[in-house]
Amino acid sequence: MNINIFKIIADADIVVQLILLLLVFFSVFSWAIIFFKSKMIKTANRQSDRFLEAFRRSKSLTEVNDAAKKLRGSPLATIFLAGNKELAYQSKSSEGGWTGEKTDSLKASNSEVARLEKMMFFLATTGSVSPFIGLFGTVWGIMISFVRIGAMRSASLQVVAPGIAEALVATAVGLFAAVPAVIAYNYFLGRIKDIIADMEDFSLEFLSIAERLHGS
């Protein structure tokens, strides 16, 4: 038996159609975010590896600075650029206290965390809300079936089937939108936590180097 999903949607109640349209929006936008975040995190990890290699291989901060400018997709490079800029300023300053590098690195780190977590809320929202929106479509479709039974005074399959089909389509589309969003959210959350841990380790390492240089 052939099932024409598009015909079911076209014949559906206007409320169910609006619900399906909303779910399609959530799904499409979620997939766009998934592809974007996947590319961004992949770039961040790849460039961070290249930056760390340059950082530990270089003999001067100037060389590292040049490398960092070419790897701005790396959160570590961004932290280094912010800290090294303040380090240069402190070195030229007549004031002896060392406080700025830690502050600037922290600001850069917070900025990178915000960048990495950008749009994650939408994936979380899609994963938690879409099933309930689909459930609302399901309830509405079943309600339409009962209304038709009352109007036609018949519980035959021809009367009940359209509403039940609409209900099942709404459920399926809700799950189709929610499941990938939940999986992607959990996956990206784990990857972002790993990157944040690397950022914290690098910040401490660079802070130690900067303090030694400033004190010498």
Side-chain angles (χ1 to χ4, degrees), residues 91-108:
S91 298
K92 295 177 182 179
S93 175
S94 58
E95 298 179 2
W98 173 254
T99 56
E101 186 277 329
K102 184 176 180 180
T103 302
D104 275 28
S105 292
L106 182 59
K107 289 180 180 178

Side-chain angles (χ1 to χ4, degrees), residues 1 3 7 19 52 89 95 114 118 144 150 173 175 180 185 188 207 214:
M1 182 178 65
I3 300 177
K7 186 177 186 306
I19 289 172
L52 282 176
Y89 172 79
E95 298 179 2
K118 188 176 181 181
I144 291 298
V173 175
L175 293 175
Y185 176 82
F188 290 142
L207 178 60
H214 189 74

Side-chain angles (χ1 to χ4, degrees), residues 102 198-209 211:
K102 184 176 180 180
D198 291 339
M199 289 164 58
E200 291 174 349
D201 292 341
F202 176 76
S203 294
L204 292 174
E205 182 179 353
F206 180 60
L207 178 60
S208 176
I209 293 173
E211 285 179 337

Side-chain angles (χ1 to χ4, degrees), residues 8-20:
I8 293 174
I9 295 173
D11 296 338
D13 183 81
I14 184 64
V15 175
V16 175
Q17 289 179 341
L18 290 175
I19 289 172
L20 293 175

